[in-house]
Amino acid sequence: MGSIWEYANPKKFIATVDRVLPFVAGLAVLSLVVGLIWGFFFTPEDYRQGSTVKIIYLHVPSALMAINAWMMMLVASLVWLIRRHHVSALAARAAAPVGAVMTVIALLTGAIWGQPMWGTWWAWDPRLTSFLILFLFYLGYIALWAAIENDDTAADLTSVLCIVGSVFAVLSRYAVNFWNQGLHQGASLSLDKEENVADVFYHPLLVCIAGFILLFIALVLLRTRTEIRARRTRALLARERMT
Amino acid sequence: MSLKVVDLGVARGGVPVLEGVNFAADPGEAVVLTGPNGVGKTTLLRTLAGLQPPYAGKIILPDAEAIAYAGHADGIKAVLSVRENLSFWARVYGHGDIQPALEGFGLIDLAERPAGNLSAGQKRRLGLARLAVTGRPIWVLDEPTVSLDKQSVAMFGAAVRRHLDGGGTAVIASHIDMGLPVRVIDMTPFRARASVSRQYDEAFL
Amino acid sequence: MIALFLRDIRLAVRAGGGFGLGLAFFLIVIVLVPFAVGPETALLARIAPGILWVGALLACLLSLDRIFALDREDGSLDLIATSPLPLEGVCAMKALSHWVTTGLPLVIAAPVLGLLMSLPSEGYLWLVVSLALGTPALSVIGTFGAALTVGIKRGGLLLSLLVLPLYVPTLIFGAEVARAGATGLAVETQLVLLAAVTCVTMALLPFASAAVLRMNLR
């Protein structure tokens, strides 16, 4: 086992993905099925929120992954800018639509949950607003990737956008907090036992979160592999035109 | 002030176009690069100018701020007069006097005209006059004689000669004889071959 | 560097359009609002600070793509990049000249338009202060967006998509100052936060702009 940077070689990366992807995808499906069925059918109803609380098994993991996907893109962008590993740039590119979809799922399930709880589909609550802004950042990032023809330039520019965007996303989060104190309940998960959801809800939730993480990894691996192949095709076509 | 290029490889849009380019240009010497369209002359010159990094090899310069670059576009603002255009660049490069440049390129009578009213050839002359106000020793010129008539080509040739006589150097991509003693280097043999590396992926340079 | 600033101002004044366009756009947006929400004075007075801020922000957006695109088209950007000017300074100067030709006129015109929106008399001072503090940030952030999209043909729409989310903190704090001012509340906290956002963007973003500009010129 050499250094982790060996996987920055596209060929090595693809070979590894070919081997691991079935396991990751299988595990993702397994934990999602177990977690969701456990959560939906084998947990008691909350004494205040009734059965609506069960949407937590989609809402919380997708919201977590919406943020984690951006974090992963940030790290990948930094790796690209510092070490210039193409796989890293393409992984960031591959993660963006997945993260955007996670954001949409979090927003939609939040709206569906909010309707019975707060009596409204949407409120300009800080958390909701921050997620909407995060979604806009994803859109801009994806659009910039799509708009630039040269792959390396696109990777460079989107990496800088990702870094600058992260700073502004954090700024926006605090600005939004300042602007409106909200309806949203505190974090569902925290290290403080008092604050936490009860254990009966907690365990299936952890399984669901693991499932979403694995799903995200599987999708990003798959999409990165596709991006590498697409990139190779473009390079070969360009070369053919040249000679 | 000599320019030296060692084993230089340049890429356009992520695809290598030229590789293994070696030449040196000493003070008082002009190097003319030729070759068919698309061979990579513009890319090479942009690399020399520092607008893009080489993907292989080295460019050895006496100091980092030695090169004055003139590309296909002249960077002329249509609403400014010829004098304003030129004195802007003179101020950017920290030289006050634009009179010699105006004289050298026959722009004295046009000095107060808005640059937008100039003919294509006159604009080109204004673009090249900018080189004279940079005060830099190495001129890197991409097709400088495009849209110049015979008289203007001679005028330009004289300006390059003055520059060379003053110990300057020039690297020019051109096919037109400017009446100068130059060293011509054909770029065709340096065309990058599509080599497939077993070690790494050819899509990623 | 000052030469570049003077040239850009001169270009904006001479080329026509560039200078007054943002201002005219601001006016039109503000005139359209009462048509859309109704002429009721109390309502207009209530939404005036926010509408004026959004109008100013959109007017700023309008001229962003001119910051680098014109220089790119005629080749000056290549020549500036090979000149002795540090690109970071070029970006800062570009933002400054954008602010002088767009942001500053907006700040000056805002009280007049506030009149149209029946802004309460306490609000004028804080509206002008908030715009004067906030619009420089809009120009600096916009310059970054313009540098990102300079290589893209018809990148105007993309530029808006990229820049608008980045405008959120400035808009929130700026409009917060104007709103609190108009209702006679304390504005210190908001004002400090707005100033902080502006200072941070002005200090850091020119470097990011220069970096993406270099990438775009390759």
Side-chain angles (χ1 to χ4, degrees):
Chain A
M1 182 71 195
S3 105
I4 185 174
W5 301 115
E6 273 182 26
Y7 297 95
N9 181 330
K11 277 185 178 162
K12 171 112 180 163
F13 179 84
I14 286 191
T16 316
V17 168
D18 286 343
R19 255 183 295 124
V20 251
L21 190 57
F23 296 103
V24 180
L27 267 176
V29 170
L30 184 72
S31 41
L32 277 179
V33 167
V34 168
L36 288 177
I37 290 179
W38 185 2
F40 282 154
F41 301 108
F42 299 97
T43 55
E45 301 198 341
D46 186 77
Y47 67 98
R48 272 179 304 148
Q49 303 198 354
S51 60
T52 56
V53 76
K54 292 186 175 175
I55 205 164
I56 199 177
Y57 300 112
L58 287 173
H59 182 66
V60 172
S62 59
L64 269 178
M65 290 323 292
I67 295 169
N68 289 348
W70 186 273
M71 298 274 191
M72 179 236 135
M73 283 157 56
L74 176 61
V75 172
S77 299
L78 285 170
V79 170
W80 159 250
L81 285 181
I82 295 166
R83 300 203 50 147
R84 317 241 13 122
H85 292 312
H86 287 85
V87 172
S88 179
L90 293 178
R93 178 182 194 171
V98 184
V101 170
M102 291 289 180
T103 318
V104 172
I105 294 175
L107 283 170
L108 285 181
T109 53
I112 294 168
W113 194 4
Q115 213 286 325
M117 283 300 101
W118 307 330
T120 172
W121 295 101
W122 178 262
W124 289 95
D125 165 273
R127 285 201 181 208
L128 276 65
T129 314
S130 310
F131 263 75
L132 200 59
I133 296 169
L134 180 63
F135 181 61
L136 294 179
F137 275 110
Y138 273 120
L139 284 188
Y141 180 88
I142 295 168
L144 187 61
W145 259 112
I148 302 165
E149 281 161 34
N150 185 316
D151 289 299
D152 279 357
T153 310
D156 282 334
L157 295 179
T158 51
S159 297
V160 178
L161 177 68
C162 186
I163 293 164
V164 172
S166 304
V167 175
F168 275 86
V170 172
L171 263 180
S172 306
R173 178 80 183 93
Y174 286 103
V176 163
N177 252 342
F178 178 83
W179 161 80
N180 188 3
Q181 275 75 30
L183 300 165
H184 200 286
Q185 56 185 274
S188 306
L189 296 173
S190 77
L191 293 174
D192 186 0
K193 213 53 180 148
E194 293 293 302
E195 286 283 304
N196 226 326
V197 291
D199 277 356
V200 265
F201 299 117
Y202 189 55
H203 292 136
L205 183 57
L206 283 187
V207 179
C208 280
I209 289 173
F212 266 77
I213 293 174
L214 288 166
L215 178 69
F216 174 75
I217 293 172
L219 287 173
V220 170
L221 288 179
L222 178 73
R223 289 180 49 84
T224 308
R225 190 176 66 180
T226 314
E227 294 287 353
I228 292 173
R229 287 179 177 159
R231 170 78 188 261
R232 186 177 292 162
T233 314
R234 278 198 298 279
L236 290 176
L237 284 173
R239 195 166 282 230
E240 207 173 74
R241 276 198 303 275
M242 291 249 135
T243 47
Chain B
M1 283 293 182
S2 61
L3 164 82
K4 208 169 169 203
V5 165
V6 183
D7 267 335
L8 189 71
V10 297
R12 176 173 59 221
V15 181
V17 286
L18 291 171
E19 59 190 16
V21 181
N22 282 293
F23 67 84
D26 291 322
E29 193 180 22
V31 171
V32 167
L33 309 177
T34 60
N37 296 125
V39 77
K41 298 188 294 286
T42 295
T43 313
L44 178 63
L45 294 182
R46 286 180 71 84
T47 310
L48 287 181
L51 285 167
Q52 61 178 70
Y55 90 89
K58 265 194 301 213
I59 300 165
I60 299 164
L61 289 172
D63 75 280
E65 298 200 334
I67 283 184
Y69 169 75
H72 291 283
D74 293 316
I76 291 171
K77 293 294 174 190
V79 293
L80 300 183
S81 72
V82 169
R83 183 183 298 279
E84 284 169 328
N85 265 302
L86 211 50
S87 43
F88 163 67
W89 291 111
R91 288 191 61 187
V92 164
Y93 284 92
H95 301 278
D97 195 12
I98 62 166
Q99 212 56 33
L102 285 175
E103 278 165 19
F105 287 86
L107 293 165
I108 294 278
D109 297 336
L110 304 170
E112 306 310 326
R113 285 254 294 273
N117 287 354
L118 299 181
S119 72
Q122 289 166 334
K123 273 186 192 157
R124 194 70 200 164
R125 263 156 48 196
L126 172 54
L128 295 172
R130 188 184 59 83
L131 293 166
V133 303
T134 60
R136 292 199 164 175
I138 302 171
W139 289 4
V140 172
L141 313 176
D142 197 356
E143 303 284 359
T145 49
V146 166
S147 69
L148 291 184
D149 58 20
K150 204 172 245 167
Q151 200 191 343
S152 303
V153 170
M155 208 184 275
F156 170 67
V160 174
R161 189 188 296 273
R162 274 198 304 280
H163 177 63
L164 298 180
D165 289 345
T169 308
V171 180
I172 306 169
S174 179
H175 292 106
I176 294 174
D177 179 27
M178 281 162 286
L180 289 168
V182 294
R183 194 146 53 87
V184 176
I185 302 176
D186 187 8
M187 284 290 114
T188 323
F190 301 111
R191 213 175 233 171
R193 273 169 293 278
S195 64
V196 179
S197 147
R198 252 163 272 102
Q199 243 288 294
Y200 218 67
D201 199 313
E202 66 276 7
F204 305 100
L205 288 172
Chain C
M1 214 99 96
I2 293 162
L4 179 67
F5 173 69
L6 291 178
R7 183 194 73 149
D8 280 358
I9 300 286
R10 197 177 274 169
L11 284 175
V13 174
R14 281 211 200 146
F19 201 64
L21 208 61
L23 209 52
F25 180 80
F26 190 30
L27 175 69
I28 287 172
V29 168
I30 300 305
V31 169
L32 285 181
V33 169
F35 295 147
V37 303
E40 195 191 325
T41 312
L43 174 66
L44 285 180
R46 218 171 96 68
I47 62 172
I51 296 291
L52 286 166
W53 250 94
V54 170
L57 191 145
L58 293 178
C60 249
L61 200 62
L62 204 64
S63 49
L64 286 183
D65 59 343
R66 299 170 62 100
I67 294 180
F68 290 117
L70 297 179
D71 280 348
R72 167 82 174 197
E73 272 165 31
D74 64 21
S76 337
L77 199 56
D78 283 345
L79 303 180
I80 289 173
T82 55
S83 79
L85 300 180
L87 219 44
E88 287 79 8
V90 170
C91 291
M93 281 301 136
K94 286 279 180 186
L96 179 62
S97 51
H98 178 261
W99 182 72
V100 170
T101 54
T102 309
L104 192 59
L106 294 180
V107 175
I108 294 166
V112 183
L113 299 180
L115 217 61
L116 289 179
M117 292 291 290
S118 23
L119 186 73
S121 55
E122 303 90 347
Y124 286 94
L125 174 64
W126 295 116
L127 175 71
V128 172
V129 169
S130 68
L131 281 174
L133 265 178
T135 44
L138 299 185
S139 289
V140 175
I141 296 169
T143 306
F144 171 67
L148 265 180
T149 54
V150 70
I152 302 165
K153 284 184 202 76
R154 280 190 280 282
L157 199 61
L158 179 65
L159 176 60
S160 316
L161 182 61
L162 295 178
V163 163
L164 282 176
L166 301 177
Y167 275 175
V168 169
T170 307
L171 174 64
I172 287 180
F173 292 131
E176 229 11 88
V177 171
R179 243 176 359 167
T183 45
L185 298 173
V187 296
E188 283 81 10
T189 324
Q190 293 93 317
L191 206 58
V192 169
L193 288 170
L194 176 65
V197 170
T198 304
C199 289
V200 168
T201 50
M202 286 205 297
L204 297 181
L205 270 186
F207 293 95
S209 310
V212 294
L213 211 51
R214 272 193 202 99
M215 294 162 179
N216 259 323
L217 287 177
R218 282 210 293 265

